[in-house]
Amino acid sequence: MLKSPAGNFITAEHHRAEKHLCRFSVSLPSALLQQFELRGELWSSKSRSLVQCKGWEGPVTCIMAESMHPGPTSLQLPGEDASVSTSHSSSPTPSRNDCSIAPITPSPSPVCLYPRTELRPRPPRPFSVVVAIDFGTTSSGYAFSFTDDPEAIHMMRRWEGGDPGVANQKSPTCLLLTPDLRFHSFGFAARDSYHDLDPEEARHWLYFDKFKMKIHSTSDLTMVTELESVSGQRVRAIEVFAHALRFFREHALKEMKDQSSSLLQRDEVRWVITVPAVWRQPAKQFMREAAYLAGLVSPDSHEQLLIALEPEAASIYCRKLRLHQLIDLSQRPITNSLDQDGSRPFDSSFRQGNGAPFDSQNPLPLLPTREQLRRARHSRTFLVESGTGELWSEMQTGDKYMVADCGGGTVDLTVHQIEQGQGTLKELYKASGGPYGAVGVDLAFEAMLCRIFGTDFIKTFKAKRPAAWVDLTIAFEARKRTAAPGRVAALNISLPFSFIDFYKRHCGHSVETALRRSKVNIVKWSSQGMLRLTTEAMNELFQPTINNIIRHIEDLMQKEEVKGVRFLFLVGGFAESPMLQRAVQNALGHHCRIIIPQDVGLTILKGAVLFGLDPTVVRVRRCPLTYGVGVLNRFVEGRHPREKLLIKDGREWCTDILDRFVSVDQSVALGEVVRRSYTPARLGQRKIIINIYCSNTDDVVYITDPGVRKCGAITLDLPEPSAAAACSSANDSAGERREIRAAMQFGDTEIKVTAVDVATGRQMRASIDFLS
């Protein structure tokens, strides 16, 4: 046993194999430890390498639960022998096993990780109801289903204050706060209330719209990240999101109370919040923290809240489509949301009541009398979709299909395969996408206005007349939905009177003069106070965003894992656009069949409800990034750079080596875990903090390589050991310390960690923080 001048022992223990424990010990001088502590790091040993750890109360020793068999791996399913390699055979295999680090790679062992003959047990239903919130960039909504009737999905028929002639089953993602930062309204109410404010008064109110995009575009997202309102005032983003989620919480609880015959307790409700699949872990944790702040669930009941990936939720719903719930673009060309025969393809599959059949002489469904009376009260506001009708049978077990979630802010792509014998889904390629949503068309329209009226004027108008600017964007949004390929007539965009008046007073001439001088010939002026956008103008606004979407889908279809995709499902609000539908069919129709579910803008919301009812339906996911920790390892001359050399007690160590937990695009099954064991470096230590690093690629060796960044930290809280355990530890002549075994799961929609005290078997508080 080596002892440092400060009297601290740093012990590295090998894993236990057949109950035999091999260990060796090294020590680091206190001066060196202090040097690392100043860098925010503390180092401890790991089998034949040292783990770069961080502890507020001292260093920590890491025991690696590794296999002594060839091709080691730390991925294993609960209950399996740690000596058995369990990585999936299709996982990519890093080739660097020469640094004495146990990489998270597949074993050459023929052990099958996912037995296909075993039927998946149906998960228990501890909750009485599942509520899903589809938090979108441009529109949001919620739906719920009672677990004793999971086939019925309850959704809003129409939000109060919705636009006439539009199916307002979702509400605009708009929030209005008073000048003293109190919640005023959300959705249509917020939009209309802000419109009615006096222009000078509106400058003191805080109106937020499309604020979800801020979370995607912020690279250093934290709990103190701020959002800017239309009037320029700033508020913490977490508070803005919490206000919106609290609105949906109160609305949903009221509706469920009215529709449930029994009083629901808080712990009987499972909540599901949707996020884009391209969001990283910090953004997912941010939404969870906002839900805690909004009072959806308690932080101690984290399993009561699920984060659902938007294209994944859509995929779950699409695999259960009925014949009357879809349209095949390859068979029925679309023009301006109409079939060529003039009929509407998106006929609603919603039914009153619980989806029971209708009597032509009776507007109410054929239900028991008491149920009729109860549900009739909600026939004007709520709809219930029931899983009735003939199943669409063309998608069979083993088929590969792609889901393109074309939303307001982002486009997410996911590729799934229906597994044989189980009916579960397997992700074939990591989720991808980008900021190619419908907001791109809005930004192109704003850029066009800048070309016509000048960038300085548009910036000034937005600051001085924020409510009028919102009115202009709403007017464009309404007309944008009617744009269609082959349309001959121009689209008229009404300019608010305040825009016309403000421009004349600010610039000294009329908007008509400005349009003529701008030489933007594809936009005309109407004497009725409207901009007339020609077909060429609408194509100019749409094409850049649509081209980005098609290019991304085409690139993804070239991947080896994705070849053979039979169907492409277009979902999301932007998928309602005939411009996008026609472009996708023309570009990709020869690769696969393009399918659009009816009520395409609600597909994610319905799928999120189904995910909440059965979170195990997606059994295998692909890891979006490479994750690991920094370690020290034996220095090899000629292989490791000299600047990484650390000499201690005559031994040469290489610093900053990345020890992988999982690799990018590696297949990870639900419930599969990465195990590591840690031990405090001294008695009385109460916390262990270990930095996590990530990379977009797998060709990295050191945590200092380009593209590798610190993305989070694992925190293990160490409770006071029992008197017996403390006495045993004090009398341990070998200097053994407490072993804390941590298990990390990468196969869920969020990374999770649990920990247990090996000596006592007690569960310990463990967490991963990506927002610090």
Side-chain angles (χ1 to χ4, degrees):
M1 173 70 69
L2 298 176
K3 189 173 183 180
S4 70
N8 294 326
F9 291 97
I10 303 182
T11 306
E13 299 179 325
H14 226 273
H15 79 295
R16 293 175 174 82
E18 299 180 358
K19 298 185 179 180
H20 293 290
L21 179 66
C22 300
R23 69 168 62 88
F24 72 94
S25 305
V26 297
S27 65
L28 298 178
S30 58
L32 186 61
L33 291 175
Q34 292 173 0
Q35 177 183 353
F36 291 147
E37 188 170 11
L38 289 175
R39 294 172 50 193
E41 298 174 318
L42 282 167
W43 302 65
S44 64
S45 41
K46 165 217 177 228
S47 53
R48 283 178 292 174
S49 61
L50 302 177
V51 175
Q52 295 174 310
C53 301
K54 178 181 177 184
W56 298 117
E57 302 183 37
V60 58
T61 300
C62 176
I63 313 170
M64 303 302 296
E66 302 167 4
S67 172
M68 297 180 67
H69 296 275
T73 177
S74 296
L75 281 176
Q76 60 187 104
L77 292 172
E80 291 187 334
D81 191 331
S83 65
V84 179
S85 173
T86 58
S87 242
H88 195 275
S89 59
S90 65
S91 302
T93 307
S95 59
R96 296 181 300 277
N97 292 343
D98 52 358
C99 295
S100 300
I101 297 178
I104 309 308
T105 58
S107 169
S109 167
V111 175
C112 179
L113 179 61
Y114 312 123
R116 298 186 180 276
T117 57
E118 181 181 348
L119 292 179
R120 180 172 57 107
R122 192 124 184 111
R125 299 191 186 279
F127 304 103
S128 298
V129 63
V130 170
V131 183
I133 301 174
D134 181 12
F135 201 108
T137 300
T138 56
S139 61
S140 301
Y142 76 94
F144 61 89
S145 177
F146 294 100
T147 56
D148 59 359
D149 186 15
E151 293 294 326
I153 300 177
H154 303 244
M155 299 185 63
M156 287 291 292
R157 177 195 296 272
R158 178 182 176 85
W159 285 90
E160 183 178 353
D163 296 327
V166 180
N168 299 297
Q169 292 175 279
K170 295 174 74 175
S171 180
T173 309
C174 307
L175 175 72
L176 181 62
L177 302 181
T178 64
D180 56 355
L181 305 183
R182 290 184 294 108
F183 174 83
H184 180 271
S185 51
F186 181 88
F188 290 109
R191 188 192 70 180
D192 296 343
S193 296
Y194 191 61
H195 167 82
D196 293 339
L197 290 173
D198 178 85
E200 288 302 318
E201 185 182 8
R203 297 172 59 183
H204 302 287
W205 287 64
L206 288 79
Y207 181 81
F208 300 89
D209 66 342
K210 300 181 177 65
F211 51 87
K212 180 182 173 183
M213 282 295 292
K214 175 70 174 182
I215 305 304
H216 176 74
S217 60
T218 301
S219 58
D220 55 347
L221 182 65
T222 68
M223 294 289 287
V224 297
T225 297
E226 293 184 333
L227 292 177
E228 184 174 323
S229 69
V230 171
S231 56
Q233 297 163 279
R234 303 184 68 85
V235 180
R236 284 202 312 157
I238 192 76
E239 297 176 4
V240 173
F241 279 81
H243 279 306
L245 291 174
R246 190 178 298 114
F247 167 82
F248 282 112
R249 171 185 174 272
E250 294 174 356
H251 205 287
L253 291 178
K254 181 181 182 299
E255 285 294 341
M256 289 186 296
K257 179 181 177 181
D258 290 344
Q259 296 202 33
S260 176
S261 57
S262 60
L263 183 63
L264 288 173
Q265 301 298 319
R266 179 176 178 177
D267 59 358
E268 291 184 272
V269 182
R270 162 168 274 174
W271 297 88
V272 182
I273 300 177
T274 64
V275 302
V278 293
W279 273 17
R280 298 306 188 195
Q281 293 299 324
K284 296 176 184 178
Q285 181 183 340
F286 180 90
M287 290 300 291
R288 177 170 286 275
E289 296 293 340
Y292 292 155
L293 185 59
L296 268 67
V297 300
S298 165
D300 296 329
S301 303
H302 58 91
E303 291 298 331
Q304 199 176 341
L305 170 66
L306 299 178
I307 299 297
L309 308 183
E310 290 168 357
E312 193 172 275
S315 175
I316 294 170
Y317 181 75
C318 287
R319 74 188 185 114
K320 301 182 67 174
L321 282 172
R322 311 279 169 168
L323 280 174
H324 65 281
Q325 294 176 321
L326 58 87
I327 178 172
D328 189 337
L329 288 187
S330 62
Q331 299 177 6
R332 302 176 67 183
I334 305 298
T335 301
N336 197 21
S337 297
L338 300 176
D339 289 343
Q340 287 185 333
D341 60 4
S343 63
R344 287 199 170 271
F346 299 109
D347 293 332
S348 176
S349 67
F350 285 112
R351 307 182 178 198
Q352 288 181 327
N354 68 346
F358 282 83
D359 184 334
S360 60
Q361 304 300 320
N362 184 357
L364 289 175
L366 301 179
L367 298 169
T369 304
R370 187 179 68 168
E371 193 71 1
Q372 276 189 3
L373 293 175
R374 182 169 67 85
R375 297 204 176 189
R377 296 167 46 215
H378 306 281
S379 60
R380 293 185 178 180
T381 58
F382 249 75
L383 296 163
V384 183
E385 182 183 68
S386 179
T388 59
E390 184 181 353
L391 278 170
W392 184 54
S393 59
E394 295 193 41
M395 190 162 60
Q396 303 292 335
T397 299
D399 278 349
K400 301 178 181 178
Y401 63 95
M402 181 185 299
V403 175
D405 169 24
C406 306
T410 59
V411 169
D412 281 349
L413 304 178
T414 189
V415 185
H416 281 159
Q417 183 176 34
I418 303 177
E419 295 189 301
Q420 297 179 1
Q422 299 180 8
T424 52
L425 299 177
K426 176 182 178 180
E427 189 176 32
L428 298 180
Y429 193 80
K430 65 177 182 176
S432 61
Y436 315 134
V439 170
V441 182
D442 301 337
L443 295 176
F445 176 65
E446 182 176 339
M448 181 178 287
L449 293 179
C450 290
R451 287 165 52 194
I452 297 173
F453 302 106
T455 302
D456 291 341
F457 169 76
I458 294 298
K459 183 177 180 181
T460 303
F461 180 74
K462 291 169 66 175
K464 299 293 186 181
R465 297 290 186 269
W469 173 255
V470 171
D471 289 343
L472 177 56
T473 60
I474 292 173
F476 174 72
E477 176 69 25
R479 302 304 294 159
K480 179 180 71 175
R481 294 175 181 271
T482 66
R487 180 187 176 113
V488 178
L491 286 177
N492 294 330
I493 311 295
S494 297
L495 288 180
F497 172 78
S498 59
F499 184 98
I500 299 173
D501 179 67
F502 190 82
Y503 183 82
K504 188 171 185 178
R505 290 193 290 110
H506 187 270
C507 301
H509 54 267
S510 67
V511 295
E512 182 179 4
T513 302
L515 185 59
R516 187 171 55 251
R517 291 179 178 178
S518 70
K519 299 182 180 180
V520 180
N521 298 324
I522 56 178
V523 179
K524 308 298 181 181
W525 174 249
S526 166
S527 59
Q528 296 177 338
M530 293 183 289
L531 294 178
R532 295 176 55 82
L533 274 60
T534 63
T535 301
E536 294 78 10
M538 294 307 296
N539 286 334
E540 181 177 308
L541 297 182
F542 274 87
Q543 283 310 311
T545 298
I546 290 177
N547 290 341
N548 282 331
I549 295 173
I550 293 176
R551 187 180 306 113
H552 197 93
I553 296 176
E554 288 177 332
D555 291 344
L556 183 58
M557 284 186 168
Q558 298 303 313
K559 306 294 183 183
E560 190 64 33
E561 301 91 333
V562 182
K563 290 182 178 179
V565 165
R566 290 190 61 201
F567 305 99
L568 168 61
F569 290 92
L570 285 182
V571 303
F574 195 22
E576 296 176 350
S577 168
M579 301 283 285
L580 177 61
Q581 294 173 15
R582 174 66 63 84
V584 171
Q585 175 61 31
N586 290 343
L588 304 170
H590 62 284
H591 287 294
C592 58
R593 291 172 60 183
I594 314 299
I595 307 295
I596 301 181
Q598 62 82 38
D599 291 318
V600 60
L602 304 173
T603 303
I604 294 169
L605 184 52
K606 300 173 191 176
V609 174
L610 298 178
F611 176 72
L613 291 168
D614 182 8
T616 67
V617 62
V618 180
R619 198 181 59 83
V620 181
R621 292 182 174 90
R622 293 277 185 155
C623 193
L625 297 171
T626 295
Y627 290 98
V629 296
V631 302
L632 294 177
N633 206 350
R634 292 292 181 84
F635 186 86
V636 179
E637 190 69 41
R639 180 180 303 164
H640 298 140
R642 297 293 299 179
E643 60 267 21
K644 300 292 185 183
L645 175 62
L646 173 67
I647 300 177
K648 172 60 185 133
D649 293 339
R651 294 190 178 187
E652 296 183 341
W653 300 91
C654 181
T655 65
D656 296 334
I657 293 180
L658 179 70
D659 169 38
R660 286 166 184 74
F661 290 159
V662 289
S663 299
V664 62
D665 205 31
Q666 177 177 336
S667 290
V668 185
L670 191 66
E672 199 172 1
V673 297
V674 177
R675 301 189 187 278
R676 294 291 189 271
S677 292
Y678 302 95
T679 181
R682 62 179 178 81
L683 296 176
Q685 188 170 332
R686 292 292 170 263
K687 185 174 292 187
I688 298 174
I689 300 179
I690 306 163
N691 289 335
I692 302 177
Y693 297 86
C694 67
S695 171
N696 291 316
T697 63
D698 191 40
D699 58 347
V700 293
V701 180
Y702 306 101
I703 62 176
T704 55
D705 284 351
V708 180
R709 66 186 186 279
K710 177 183 173 296
C711 62
I714 299 175
T715 300
L716 306 177
D717 291 330
L718 311 181
E720 186 74 30
S722 63
C727 180
S728 173
S729 178
N731 295 330
D732 189 350
S733 59
E736 292 187 9
R737 301 181 186 275
R738 296 173 67 187
E739 180 182 345
I740 311 301
R741 182 169 298 162
M744 288 157 282
Q745 297 186 36
F746 292 87
D748 214 328
T749 58
E750 298 174 275
I751 298 176
K752 300 178 181 179
V753 61
T754 58
V756 64
D757 189 324
V758 174
T760 64
R762 292 172 54 191
Q763 196 77 18
M764 305 179 59
R765 183 181 294 273
S767 61
I768 299 183
D769 182 16
F770 294 98
L771 289 174
S772 296

